[in-house]
Amino acid sequence: MSTPDAKRTPLHEVHAELGATVTEFAGYLMPLRYGSETAEHQAVRTSAGLFDLSHMGEIFVTGPQAGAALDHALIGHLSVLAVGRARYTMIVDRAGGVLDDLIVYRLAPETFMVVANAANAAVVRAELTERASGFDKATVDDRSNAYALVAVQGPKAQAILEKLTDAALADLKYYAILPGKVAGIDALIARTGYTGEDGFELFVAAGDAVAVWRAVTEAGGDDLRPAGLSARDTLRLEAGMPLYGNELTAETTPYDAGLGRTVKLDKPGDFVGRAALSARADTPPGRTLVGLVARGRRVPRHGYAIVTADGTPCGVVTSGAPSPTLGKPIAMAYIDVDHAEDTDLAVDIRGNHEPVDKVALPFYRRTS
């Protein structure tokens, strides 16, 4: 069920043509699946999948003090980022709680593009605007409505895109970006993604989205399948990638999520959340994020309790789904550190304690 004011991406009519099952997500009508979500998942693992990510936020920070403003606003050290490179980082509140996880691209010496999760884009825009207000030579500009974002993910993604562009894709490093043309259309081509596979994200003008989608579809032929949010979620779960609202929340610090490496306490100057995160850096977290593989067929879902052999609650599932690659239900969960070494664990699924095995993350790692 969608609300009357739900937004549509520039590709909405294409999804309708393809018979997609559409759902409201983060205020947008988005394709959940086009047919079999398992087939879409497996296409990304074995050949390539095509995703509409136009709901994501693109917020530009520009000017001579853009890097300094981002150093103050975010936990990363963005002013040292090289032009053409990207960095995974976060914006936190003063208590160190995560407001969103982000990818920041440096497009030019004085131009950064901050890509935010759709549900948090308005918060990120407001926080960046306020935090940059002390920097006279930095400007925050939300250009989300001007952009569409199309992702091509999978082992055949490069070969498919090479049919449409002269850009040096083979030389483009992971977490890097370059300007180029795709099917003759101006695009920012990034080697980033959220699936655990190699792939590219194409930032194009909203009005060019349909043409780019159709061109990529034609170039991909039988090697490419459109993929929806369901497949994207199982792909990122297998890859052990966090989802905001599940593994990351305003009550979670980067250290809680095992992402303390993203906190740059050694960068010069102050940043929002520094005092709280500095104190937390020296304090072992009370819980740890782990992977779980179910021994049976019942799926651990978000919010389900983790229990010990005697039934004592010791954690909570943050994300869970059947894994098409492993052929078993999998989950990520926070477990109290006092029970982090326990091997006899179960998930409470509607009153039944279903046994699970604790494993290292990620569940899946590509080999090439």
PDB file of all heavy atoms in Angstrom, residues 309-339:
ATOM      1  N   ALA A 309      21.779 -21.561  25.398  1.00  0.00           N
ATOM      2  CA  ALA A 309      21.266 -22.925  25.549  1.00  0.00           C
ATOM      3  C   ALA A 309      20.185 -23.019  26.618  1.00  0.00           C
ATOM      4  O   ALA A 309      19.250 -23.831  26.500  1.00  0.00           O
ATOM      5  CB  ALA A 309      22.409 -23.875  25.872  1.00  0.00           C
ATOM      6  N   ASP A 310      20.282 -22.184  27.665  1.00  0.00           N
ATOM      7  CA  ASP A 310      19.275 -22.233  28.728  1.00  0.00           C
ATOM      8  C   ASP A 310      18.132 -21.242  28.508  1.00  0.00           C
ATOM      9  O   ASP A 310      17.305 -21.028  29.396  1.00  0.00           O
ATOM     10  CB  ASP A 310      19.923 -22.009  30.102  1.00  0.00           C
ATOM     11  CG  ASP A 310      20.545 -20.617  30.235  1.00  0.00           C
ATOM     12  OD1 ASP A 310      20.418 -19.798  29.299  1.00  0.00           O
ATOM     13  OD2 ASP A 310      21.184 -20.351  31.276  1.00  0.00           O
ATOM     14  N   GLY A 311      18.109 -20.633  27.313  1.00  0.00           N
ATOM     15  CA  GLY A 311      17.011 -19.732  26.984  1.00  0.00           C
ATOM     16  C   GLY A 311      17.210 -18.287  27.382  1.00  0.00           C
ATOM     17  O   GLY A 311      16.294 -17.470  27.233  1.00  0.00           O
ATOM     18  N   THR A 312      18.396 -17.945  27.861  1.00  0.00           N
ATOM     19  CA  THR A 312      18.671 -16.574  28.271  1.00  0.00           C
ATOM     20  C   THR A 312      18.861 -15.670  27.052  1.00  0.00           C
ATOM     21  O   THR A 312      19.694 -15.961  26.188  1.00  0.00           O
ATOM     22  CB  THR A 312      19.946 -16.511  29.134  1.00  0.00           C
ATOM     23  OG1 THR A 312      19.776 -17.341  30.272  1.00  0.00           O
ATOM     24  CG2 THR A 312      20.223 -15.080  29.574  1.00  0.00           C
ATOM     25  N   PRO A 313      18.110 -14.582  26.926  1.00  0.00           N
ATOM     26  CA  PRO A 313      18.322 -13.669  25.800  1.00  0.00           C
ATOM     27  C   PRO A 313      19.733 -13.084  25.836  1.00  0.00           C
ATOM     28  O   PRO A 313      20.212 -12.654  26.891  1.00  0.00           O
ATOM     29  CB  PRO A 313      17.273 -12.582  26.029  1.00  0.00           C
ATOM     30  CG  PRO A 313      16.221 -13.237  26.871  1.00  0.00           C
ATOM     31  CD  PRO A 313      16.976 -14.173  27.776  1.00  0.00           C
ATOM     32  N   CYS A 314      20.388 -13.067  24.693  1.00  0.00           N
ATOM     33  CA  CYS A 314      21.766 -12.555  24.647  1.00  0.00           C
ATOM     34  C   CYS A 314      22.034 -11.701  23.413  1.00  0.00           C
ATOM     35  O   CYS A 314      23.181 -11.320  23.159  1.00  0.00           O
ATOM     36  CB  CYS A 314      22.770 -13.707  24.721  1.00  0.00           C
ATOM     37  SG  CYS A 314      22.723 -14.822  23.293  1.00  0.00           S
ATOM     38  N   GLY A 315      20.994 -11.398  22.656  1.00  0.00           N
ATOM     39  CA  GLY A 315      21.219 -10.593  21.465  1.00  0.00           C
ATOM     40  C   GLY A 315      19.953 -10.447  20.656  1.00  0.00           C
ATOM     41  O   GLY A 315      18.877 -10.908  21.054  1.00  0.00           O
ATOM     42  N   VAL A 316      20.091  -9.804  19.483  1.00  0.00           N
ATOM     43  CA  VAL A 316      18.933  -9.556  18.629  1.00  0.00           C
ATOM     44  C   VAL A 316      19.357  -9.592  17.164  1.00  0.00           C
ATOM     45  O   VAL A 316      20.449  -9.138  16.799  1.00  0.00           O
ATOM     46  CB  VAL A 316      18.273  -8.198  18.967  1.00  0.00           C
ATOM     47  CG1 VAL A 316      19.239  -7.040  18.673  1.00  0.00           C
ATOM     48  CG2 VAL A 316      16.975  -8.011  18.212  1.00  0.00           C
ATOM     49  N   VAL A 317      18.506 -10.159  16.336  1.00  0.00           N
ATOM     50  CA  VAL A 317      18.753 -10.206  14.896  1.00  0.00           C
ATOM     51  C   VAL A 317      18.503  -8.814  14.307  1.00  0.00           C
ATOM     52  O   VAL A 317      17.494  -8.173  14.592  1.00  0.00           O
ATOM     53  CB  VAL A 317      17.828 -11.236  14.217  1.00  0.00           C
ATOM     54  CG1 VAL A 317      17.969 -11.173  12.691  1.00  0.00           C
ATOM     55  CG2 VAL A 317      18.148 -12.645  14.719  1.00  0.00           C
ATOM     56  N   THR A 318      19.435  -8.362  13.478  1.00  0.00           N
ATOM     57  CA  THR A 318      19.266  -7.070  12.805  1.00  0.00           C
ATOM     58  C   THR A 318      18.781  -7.241  11.369  1.00  0.00           C
ATOM     59  O   THR A 318      18.013  -6.425  10.871  1.00  0.00           O
ATOM     60  CB  THR A 318      20.583  -6.277  12.810  1.00  0.00           C
ATOM     61  OG1 THR A 318      21.633  -7.102  12.257  1.00  0.00           O
ATOM     62  CG2 THR A 318      20.959  -5.870  14.236  1.00  0.00           C
ATOM     63  N   SER A 319      19.240  -8.275  10.678  1.00  0.00           N
ATOM     64  CA  SER A 319      18.810  -8.566   9.304  1.00  0.00           C
ATOM     65  C   SER A 319      18.814 -10.069   9.112  1.00  0.00           C
ATOM     66  O   SER A 319      19.714 -10.752   9.605  1.00  0.00           O
ATOM     67  CB  SER A 319      19.749  -7.942   8.268  1.00  0.00           C
ATOM     68  OG  SER A 319      19.763  -6.541   8.325  1.00  0.00           O
ATOM     69  N   GLY A 320      17.833 -10.585   8.386  1.00  0.00           N
ATOM     70  CA  GLY A 320      17.805 -12.012   8.110  1.00  0.00           C
ATOM     71  C   GLY A 320      17.022 -12.309   6.853  1.00  0.00           C
ATOM     72  O   GLY A 320      16.067 -11.603   6.517  1.00  0.00           O
ATOM     73  N   ALA A 321      17.428 -13.360   6.133  1.00  0.00           N
ATOM     74  CA  ALA A 321      16.761 -13.732   4.888  1.00  0.00           C
ATOM     75  C   ALA A 321      17.286 -15.087   4.438  1.00  0.00           C
ATOM     76  O   ALA A 321      18.373 -15.518   4.852  1.00  0.00           O
ATOM     77  CB  ALA A 321      17.024 -12.694   3.794  1.00  0.00           C
ATOM     78  N   PRO A 322      16.560 -15.757   3.569  1.00  0.00           N
ATOM     79  CA  PRO A 322      17.128 -16.952   2.930  1.00  0.00           C
ATOM     80  C   PRO A 322      18.274 -16.533   2.016  1.00  0.00           C
ATOM     81  O   PRO A 322      18.166 -15.542   1.297  1.00  0.00           O
ATOM     82  CB  PRO A 322      15.958 -17.516   2.116  1.00  0.00           C
ATOM     83  CG  PRO A 322      14.734 -16.851   2.651  1.00  0.00           C
ATOM     84  CD  PRO A 322      15.172 -15.510   3.147  1.00  0.00           C
ATOM     85  N   SER A 323      19.364 -17.274   2.051  1.00  0.00           N
ATOM     86  CA  SER A 323      20.512 -16.965   1.197  1.00  0.00           C
ATOM     87  C   SER A 323      20.476 -17.832  -0.050  1.00  0.00           C
ATOM     88  O   SER A 323      20.667 -19.043   0.042  1.00  0.00           O
ATOM     89  CB  SER A 323      21.825 -17.206   1.950  1.00  0.00           C
ATOM     90  OG  SER A 323      22.920 -17.219   1.062  1.00  0.00           O
ATOM     91  N   PRO A 324      20.247 -17.238  -1.213  1.00  0.00           N
ATOM     92  CA  PRO A 324      20.264 -18.036  -2.440  1.00  0.00           C
ATOM     93  C   PRO A 324      21.618 -18.685  -2.710  1.00  0.00           C
ATOM     94  O   PRO A 324      21.677 -19.768  -3.288  1.00  0.00           O
ATOM     95  CB  PRO A 324      19.928 -17.004  -3.529  1.00  0.00           C
ATOM     96  CG  PRO A 324      19.123 -15.962  -2.820  1.00  0.00           C
ATOM     97  CD  PRO A 324      19.785 -15.859  -1.463  1.00  0.00           C
ATOM     98  N   THR A 325      22.710 -18.037  -2.291  1.00  0.00           N
ATOM     99  CA  THR A 325      24.043 -18.575  -2.551  1.00  0.00           C
ATOM    100  C   THR A 325      24.380 -19.729  -1.622  1.00  0.00           C
ATOM    101  O   THR A 325      24.903 -20.765  -2.052  1.00  0.00           O
ATOM    102  CB  THR A 325      25.098 -17.458  -2.412  1.00  0.00           C
ATOM    103  OG1 THR A 325      24.775 -16.391  -3.311  1.00  0.00           O
ATOM    104  CG2 THR A 325      26.491 -17.977  -2.730  1.00  0.00           C
ATOM    105  N   LEU A 326      24.062 -19.587  -0.330  1.00  0.00           N
ATOM    106  CA  LEU A 326      24.364 -20.640   0.632  1.00  0.00           C
ATOM    107  C   LEU A 326      23.285 -21.713   0.673  1.00  0.00           C
ATOM    108  O   LEU A 326      23.535 -22.825   1.150  1.00  0.00           O
ATOM    109  CB  LEU A 326      24.556 -20.054   2.028  1.00  0.00           C
ATOM    110  CG  LEU A 326      25.928 -19.490   2.390  1.00  0.00           C
ATOM    111  CD1 LEU A 326      26.278 -18.274   1.538  1.00  0.00           C
ATOM    112  CD2 LEU A 326      25.995 -19.114   3.872  1.00  0.00           C
ATOM    113  N   GLY A 327      22.085 -21.374   0.229  1.00  0.00           N
ATOM    114  CA  GLY A 327      20.993 -22.330   0.293  1.00  0.00           C
ATOM    115  C   GLY A 327      20.447 -22.528   1.694  1.00  0.00           C
ATOM    116  O   GLY A 327      19.787 -23.530   1.975  1.00  0.00           O
ATOM    117  N   LYS A 328      20.729 -21.568   2.582  1.00  0.00           N
ATOM    118  CA  LYS A 328      20.278 -21.654   3.967  1.00  0.00           C
ATOM    119  C   LYS A 328      19.855 -20.254   4.431  1.00  0.00           C
ATOM    120  O   LYS A 328      20.329 -19.248   3.889  1.00  0.00           O
ATOM    121  CB  LYS A 328      21.407 -22.144   4.879  1.00  0.00           C
ATOM    122  CG  LYS A 328      21.957 -23.513   4.546  1.00  0.00           C
ATOM    123  CD  LYS A 328      23.128 -23.845   5.468  1.00  0.00           C
ATOM    124  CE  LYS A 328      23.708 -25.206   5.140  1.00  0.00           C
ATOM    125  NZ  LYS A 328      24.859 -25.529   6.044  1.00  0.00           N
ATOM    126  N   PRO A 329      19.019 -20.172   5.465  1.00  0.00           N
ATOM    127  CA  PRO A 329      18.722 -18.860   6.043  1.00  0.00           C
ATOM    128  C   PRO A 329      19.946 -18.304   6.758  1.00  0.00           C
ATOM    129  O   PRO A 329      20.678 -19.042   7.436  1.00  0.00           O
ATOM    130  CB  PRO A 329      17.590 -19.149   7.038  1.00  0.00           C
ATOM    131  CG  PRO A 329      17.004 -20.451   6.597  1.00  0.00           C
ATOM    132  CD  PRO A 329      18.168 -21.224   6.045  1.00  0.00           C
ATOM    133  N   ILE A 330      20.175 -16.998   6.596  1.00  0.00           N
ATOM    134  CA  ILE A 330      21.299 -16.335   7.250  1.00  0.00           C
ATOM    135  C   ILE A 330      20.809 -15.080   7.946  1.00  0.00           C
ATOM    136  O   ILE A 330      19.715 -14.583   7.668  1.00  0.00           O
ATOM    137  CB  ILE A 330      22.422 -15.973   6.251  1.00  0.00           C
ATOM    138  CG1 ILE A 330      21.890 -15.013   5.169  1.00  0.00           C
ATOM    139  CG2 ILE A 330      23.028 -17.219   5.632  1.00  0.00           C
ATOM    140  CD1 ILE A 330      22.960 -14.471   4.231  1.00  0.00           C
ATOM    141  N   ALA A 331      21.629 -14.562   8.853  1.00  0.00           N
ATOM    142  CA  ALA A 331      21.256 -13.337   9.567  1.00  0.00           C
ATOM    143  C   ALA A 331      22.498 -12.650  10.083  1.00  0.00           C
ATOM    144  O   ALA A 331      23.546 -13.278  10.293  1.00  0.00           O
ATOM    145  CB  ALA A 331      20.310 -13.661  10.733  1.00  0.00           C
ATOM    146  N   MET A 332      22.377 -11.357  10.303  1.00  0.00           N
ATOM    147  CA  MET A 332      23.342 -10.608  11.099  1.00  0.00           C
ATOM    148  C   MET A 332      22.653 -10.257  12.401  1.00  0.00           C
ATOM    149  O   MET A 332      21.440 -10.022  12.440  1.00  0.00           O
ATOM    150  CB  MET A 332      23.828  -9.350  10.371  1.00  0.00           C
ATOM    151  CG  MET A 332      24.771  -9.654   9.224  1.00  0.00           C
ATOM    152  SD  MET A 332      25.727  -8.204   8.648  1.00  0.00           S
ATOM    153  CE  MET A 332      24.467  -7.332   7.728  1.00  0.00           C
ATOM    154  N   ALA A 333      23.444 -10.236  13.466  1.00  0.00           N
ATOM    155  CA  ALA A 333      22.856 -10.006  14.788  1.00  0.00           C
ATOM    156  C   ALA A 333      23.877  -9.378  15.711  1.00  0.00           C
ATOM    157  O   ALA A 333      25.089  -9.592  15.567  1.00  0.00           O
ATOM    158  CB  ALA A 333      22.369 -11.326  15.387  1.00  0.00           C
ATOM    159  N   TYR A 334      23.380  -8.595  16.649  1.00  0.00           N
ATOM    160  CA  TYR A 334      24.219  -8.105  17.736  1.00  0.00           C
ATOM    161  C   TYR A 334      24.090  -9.072  18.906  1.00  0.00           C
ATOM    162  O   TYR A 334      22.973  -9.411  19.332  1.00  0.00           O
ATOM    163  CB  TYR A 334      23.784  -6.705  18.182  1.00  0.00           C
ATOM    164  CG  TYR A 334      24.296  -5.600  17.290  1.00  0.00           C
ATOM    165  CD1 TYR A 334      23.425  -4.849  16.508  1.00  0.00           C
ATOM    166  CD2 TYR A 334      25.665  -5.315  17.227  1.00  0.00           C
ATOM    167  CE1 TYR A 334      23.890  -3.822  15.696  1.00  0.00           C
ATOM    168  CE2 TYR A 334      26.137  -4.304  16.403  1.00  0.00           C
ATOM    169  CZ  TYR A 334      25.251  -3.565  15.642  1.00  0.00           C
ATOM    170  OH  TYR A 334      25.728  -2.567  14.829  1.00  0.00           O
ATOM    171  N   ILE A 335      25.248  -9.517  19.416  1.00  0.00           N
ATOM    172  CA  ILE A 335      25.281 -10.437  20.552  1.00  0.00           C
ATOM    173  C   ILE A 335      26.081  -9.792  21.676  1.00  0.00           C
ATOM    174  O   ILE A 335      27.135  -9.174  21.435  1.00  0.00           O
ATOM    175  CB  ILE A 335      25.904 -11.792  20.153  1.00  0.00           C
ATOM    176  CG1 ILE A 335      24.964 -12.529  19.195  1.00  0.00           C
ATOM    177  CG2 ILE A 335      26.182 -12.652  21.369  1.00  0.00           C
ATOM    178  CD1 ILE A 335      25.468 -13.879  18.764  1.00  0.00           C
ATOM    179  N   ASP A 336      25.594  -9.923  22.904  1.00  0.00           N
ATOM    180  CA  ASP A 336      26.303  -9.398  24.066  1.00  0.00           C
ATOM    181  C   ASP A 336      27.701 -10.000  24.115  1.00  0.00           C
ATOM    182  O   ASP A 336      27.874 -11.208  23.884  1.00  0.00           O
ATOM    183  CB  ASP A 336      25.554  -9.751  25.353  1.00  0.00           C
ATOM    184  CG  ASP A 336      24.168  -9.127  25.411  1.00  0.00           C
ATOM    185  OD1 ASP A 336      23.926  -8.160  24.665  1.00  0.00           O
ATOM    186  OD2 ASP A 336      23.324  -9.613  26.194  1.00  0.00           O
ATOM    187  N   VAL A 337      28.698  -9.178  24.414  1.00  0.00           N
ATOM    188  CA  VAL A 337      30.080  -9.662  24.382  1.00  0.00           C
ATOM    189  C   VAL A 337      30.311 -10.804  25.362  1.00  0.00           C
ATOM    190  O   VAL A 337      31.174 -11.659  25.143  1.00  0.00           O
ATOM    191  CB  VAL A 337      31.077  -8.515  24.663  1.00  0.00           C
ATOM    192  CG1 VAL A 337      31.074  -7.524  23.513  1.00  0.00           C
ATOM    193  CG2 VAL A 337      30.775  -7.822  25.974  1.00  0.00           C
ATOM    194  N   ASP A 338      29.540 -10.857  26.436  1.00  0.00           N
ATOM    195  CA  ASP A 338      29.692 -11.951  27.397  1.00  0.00           C
ATOM    196  C   ASP A 338      29.341 -13.297  26.787  1.00  0.00           C
ATOM    197  O   ASP A 338      29.729 -14.347  27.311  1.00  0.00           O
ATOM    198  CB  ASP A 338      28.803 -11.710  28.624  1.00  0.00           C
ATOM    199  CG  ASP A 338      29.249 -10.520  29.456  1.00  0.00           C
ATOM    200  OD1 ASP A 338      30.413 -10.093  29.288  1.00  0.00           O
ATOM    201  OD2 ASP A 338      28.449 -10.017  30.254  1.00  0.00           O
ATOM    202  N   HIS A 339      28.610 -13.271  25.681  1.00  0.00           N
ATOM    203  CA  HIS A 339      28.199 -14.515  25.024  1.00  0.00           C
ATOM    204  C   HIS A 339      28.773 -14.635  23.618  1.00  0.00           C
ATOM    205  O   HIS A 339      28.354 -15.512  22.856  1.00  0.00           O
ATOM    206  CB  HIS A 339      26.676 -14.589  24.957  1.00  0.00           C
ATOM    207  CG  HIS A 339      26.016 -14.648  26.309  1.00  0.00           C
ATOM    208  ND1 HIS A 339      25.925 -15.802  27.048  1.00  0.00           N
ATOM    209  CD2 HIS A 339      25.439 -13.675  27.061  1.00  0.00           C
ATOM    210  CE1 HIS A 339      25.304 -15.552  28.198  1.00  0.00           C
ATOM    211  NE2 HIS A 339      25.003 -14.262  28.234  1.00  0.00           N
TER     212      HIS A 339
END
